[in-house]
Amino acid sequence: MSIVTFYSYKGGVGRTMAMANVATVLAQRGHKVLVVDWDLEAPGLEEYFEGFHISPKGRGLLQLLWDVTKGNEVDYRKHLWELKSIMEDTSLMLLPSGREEETYYPMLERFSQDDFFSAGGGDYLERLRERWLRDFDFVLIDSRTGLSDAGGICTIQLPDIVVALFTATRQSLYGVRDVMRLALDGRQRFEYDRMHLSVIPVPSRMDIHDNPNEADFWLETFAQALEEYFEDWLPTSVSPYEVLKKLTIPHDALLLHGASLTVHPVTISVSNTVDCYKNLAAFVESDLSDIRALGFEVATVNVETDKGKGIKEDYEYDIFISSRRGSIISTWIRDSLLPVLSNWLSEEIGRPARIFFDESELSAGGRYPEALAYALGKSRLLLPVFSSSYFRSQWSLSEYHTFQKREEELAKSEREVPYHNLIFPVVFSNGAHFPEYARARQWLDLKRFAATAKAFRESKRFLEFEETIREFSSQLGKEVNNAPEYSPDWPRVSPSEVHIETDFDNDLSRPKL
């Protein structure tokens, strides 16, 4: 389940065409797909779906945003159109910019992004994003070009992945590179928790076969200029140049004379273009986790169980620290809690303690979601750092509920030992504001020790803090040594499956490019 934005710095690169074709391929593969036309100034995404019967029932995105600005309660489903293929059993949903009617452009002129956000539009978009992730397998957004508030929404707040298209011009290439840097920086400063934003660079409208030498020059230039965007998901055995060559959408003069799908049976398609769209769709479908979707072979490691000749798979971490990322608490954990906890726990278990904390572990590279999920499954115990903001974060709650599910699974499977306590919370705020399931837990209260790291280490309270953590580590050490045997089948709760039960006030900062 992903929200994918298709973005280009300049127009005329085939962005909307690519998005429409990728959406069609995903729908043909049985996925529930929503496509969104966020290019309000140049509406018309529906024109690309030749071969589909369109049921234009709703009034579209602009009316939806306008209703939110007026303070109305808005159900996005009432603004959708349904698209059904006339030649195959394929359908998808479309949120168009708006109907082609006399009121559209006057409404667009009156619409104000400032008024929208002042009326709680940021919070509405956050709820809309969560709803889309529950209702669809993939949501594909066609973003406006250039720098704009709408671009900030489409590249910072909403997506998990940005497909960045560009042509073989320096303005198009470096424009995309610089905007993606702004988007990644804006994502890091965004108040809501998010997974790392992944970027797929896609060259478009290239004459690869007619001018191979020039194409090779540009591909090398692309690879060098955009290398930073491959680090999150590309295995070291594959080069950015090779991936760009696989993803390049060729120049197709036939498609320049009109908008039409190349992957739909009703059209006559150029095979190279079709293959590019299908490759991109397959890679998006894998959540960028399977480079084989692009035709690459990647060496795999076969870990055998103790029944075979290999090494028995086991835990890699003793403790997984779960916290609201990017906060003051997160910094305090890194600078104060982590060193003391590691020291006392190591002494308790008689070996160096292995503690996973995302700020230190993930900076080394690797794609963020996979690295985090892997560490979560490979940890014996969970140490969640509760705060009111922790329970507003779908990502933090997914970590908590993953271990809660593990406890429930163990309780069902082990009759002699009916309950394994795998979750050991610490708190920094008033527990009265926590959900009921969290208040039922026994936790370590560290509110009195919360302070900036330097000031805290120089205070008399630090000795008291060390003694408190030493006692806590004594309990943790026993549970580490008595943890249940590792299983590769531990349950996993994804962020999209999490329901936030508490209703906290939250001022969402407006995403800006």
Side-chain angles (χ1 to χ4, degrees):
M1 292 175 286
S2 299
I3 296 179
V4 185
T5 288
F6 282 68
Y7 175 84
S8 62
Y9 181 69
K10 301 287 288 184
V13 304
R15 179 195 71 248
T16 306
M17 174 73 74
M19 193 202 73
N21 278 280
V22 169
T24 301
V25 172
L26 292 172
Q28 288 171 340
R29 294 183 179 182
H31 294 291
K32 294 175 65 178
V33 179
L34 170 67
V35 290
V36 182
D37 187 357
W38 216 292
D39 193 353
L40 298 176
E41 286 73 12
L45 174 59
E46 61 274 11
E47 297 175 5
Y48 285 77
F49 289 92
E50 181 179 336
F52 281 80
H53 174 72
I54 301 177
S55 300
K57 297 179 181 179
R59 294 193 63 188
L61 177 63
L62 180 59
Q63 184 66 55
L64 181 153
L65 299 176
W66 187 258
D67 289 345
V68 173
T69 303
K70 290 181 176 180
N72 297 331
E73 193 65 32
V74 180
D75 183 350
Y76 83 91
R77 295 172 298 181
K78 295 180 180 180
H79 294 265
L80 299 181
W81 295 3
E82 185 175 8
L83 311 181
K84 288 189 175 182
S85 172
I86 62 177
M87 295 190 66
E88 59 182 355
D89 186 19
T90 300
S91 65
L92 46 80
M93 302 302 294
L94 165 68
L95 180 57
S97 288
R99 288 187 173 184
E100 289 296 330
E101 53 187 23
E102 294 180 358
T103 60
Y104 180 84
Y105 285 104
M107 185 189 302
L108 181 62
E109 290 181 2
R110 297 195 308 272
F111 176 71
S112 165
Q113 294 278 357
D114 291 335
D115 292 345
F116 171 76
F117 280 98
S118 296
D123 291 323
Y124 176 80
L125 292 177
E126 193 65 19
R127 295 192 300 272
L128 184 63
R129 181 183 188 277
E130 295 170 3
R131 182 64 186 271
W132 281 351
L133 288 170
R134 291 197 299 268
D135 292 350
F136 297 96
D137 298 321
F138 294 96
V139 178
L140 275 58
I141 300 173
D142 188 29
S143 173
R144 186 184 178 190
T145 59
L147 298 171
S148 65
D149 283 337
I153 293 170
C154 296
T155 59
I156 298 174
Q157 181 170 5
L158 292 178
D160 304 299
I161 299 168
V162 174
V163 177
L165 290 96
F166 52 92
T167 57
T169 66
R170 296 191 180 278
Q171 185 183 36
S172 181
L173 167 63
Y174 293 110
V176 156
R177 183 198 65 181
D178 293 343
V179 170
M180 289 300 97
R181 285 177 178 173
L182 290 173
L184 291 171
D185 180 65
R187 183 66 160 250
Q188 290 178 349
R189 293 182 286 105
F190 198 51
E191 288 192 11
Y192 275 95
D193 279 352
R194 283 289 189 274
M195 296 182 297
H196 179 76
L197 180 66
S198 297
V199 178
I200 309 177
V202 176
S204 183
R205 296 188 171 167
M206 292 270 293
D207 291 321
I208 294 180
H209 301 292
D210 294 340
N211 301 289
N213 292 333
E214 183 179 357
D216 191 65
F217 164 79
W218 276 109
L219 288 173
E220 292 284 5
T221 302
F222 298 157
Q224 183 176 2
L226 304 173
E227 184 178 11
E228 63 200 87
Y229 302 118
F230 293 90
E231 294 175 353
D232 292 334
W233 51 266
L234 186 63
T236 56
S237 58
V238 182
S239 70
Y241 171 88
E242 294 173 291
V243 173
L244 288 167
K245 195 169 185 178
K246 289 278 189 180
L247 289 174
T248 297
I249 300 172
H251 176 79
D252 187 347
L254 293 175
L255 297 179
L256 296 180
H257 297 292
S260 61
L261 293 168
T262 64
V263 299
H264 198 268
V266 79
T267 61
I268 299 174
S269 306
V270 179
S271 60
N272 289 337
T273 306
V274 172
D275 289 343
C276 290
Y277 292 143
K278 288 185 174 180
N279 287 343
L280 180 56
F283 194 41
V284 168
E285 185 180 30
S286 77
D287 194 29
L288 315 196
S289 64
D290 192 353
I291 197 68
R292 292 172 298 180
L294 298 179
F296 294 103
E297 294 295 329
V298 179
T300 59
V301 178
N302 181 23
V303 181
E304 301 181 24
T305 66
D306 50 353
K307 296 180 181 179
K309 298 180 180 179
I311 301 173
K312 183 177 179 179
E313 196 171 0
D314 201 357
Y315 294 105
E316 292 188 18
Y317 300 96
D318 300 307
I319 305 290
F320 184 105
I321 297 181
S322 171
S323 69
R324 176 69 185 263
R325 292 168 180 80
S327 65
I328 295 176
I329 290 177
S330 183
T331 302
W332 192 90
I333 293 168
R334 182 194 64 213
D335 295 340
S336 296
L337 176 61
L338 190 57
V340 178
L341 177 65
S342 178
N343 178 60
W344 286 118
L345 185 59
S346 298
E347 184 171 315
E348 186 66 34
I349 62 179
R351 59 171 173 78
R354 297 172 302 216
I355 301 176
F356 181 92
F357 182 55
D358 64 333
E359 287 194 357
S360 58
E361 295 288 338
L362 292 179
S363 61
R367 189 162 186 266
Y368 182 79
E370 281 68 36
L372 197 62
Y374 178 81
L376 195 66
K378 285 283 193 172
S379 297
R380 288 180 167 85
L381 306 177
L382 182 75
L383 195 157
V385 182
F386 285 170
S387 63
S388 59
S389 63
Y390 184 93
F391 298 101
R392 288 198 301 263
S393 164
Q394 283 185 299
W395 196 256
S396 297
L397 287 179
S398 73
E399 296 163 0
Y400 179 90
H401 289 304
T402 290
F403 266 80
Q404 188 178 48
K405 287 278 189 183
R406 189 187 298 186
E407 287 182 342
E408 293 170 358
E409 193 115 329
L410 290 165
K412 293 177 183 178
S413 62
E414 298 186 6
R415 296 181 180 177
E416 295 182 3
V417 184
Y419 181 71
H420 264 288
N421 186 13
L422 305 177
I423 303 175
F424 295 86
V426 300
V427 302
F428 284 90
S429 60
N430 190 346
H433 299 296
F434 299 165
E436 185 176 350
Y437 63 81
R439 292 200 302 269
R441 292 273 179 184
Q442 182 178 355
W443 61 58
L444 176 66
D445 191 341
L446 296 180
K447 289 195 300 292
R448 64 190 185 279
F449 299 122
T452 59
K454 182 179 179 180
F456 176 58
R457 283 186 169 274
E458 294 174 355
S459 71
K460 295 179 180 180
R461 285 182 300 159
F462 190 70
L463 293 177
E464 182 186 352
F465 171 74
E466 280 203 315
E467 180 61 23
T468 300
I469 299 303
R470 185 189 68 79
E471 294 175 0
F472 185 50
S473 297
S474 177
Q475 180 187 8
L476 286 179
K478 295 174 183 177
E479 297 296 338
V480 165
N481 292 330
N482 294 325
E485 185 176 347
Y486 173 80
S487 170
D489 299 321
W490 291 132
R492 171 84 173 96
V493 177
S494 69
S496 61
E497 297 175 278
V498 170
H499 172 66
I500 298 178
E501 300 179 18
T502 49
D503 184 18
F504 295 105
D505 292 332
N506 192 16
D507 295 327
L508 178 66
S509 64
R510 178 176 176 175
K512 295 181 180 179
L513 277 175

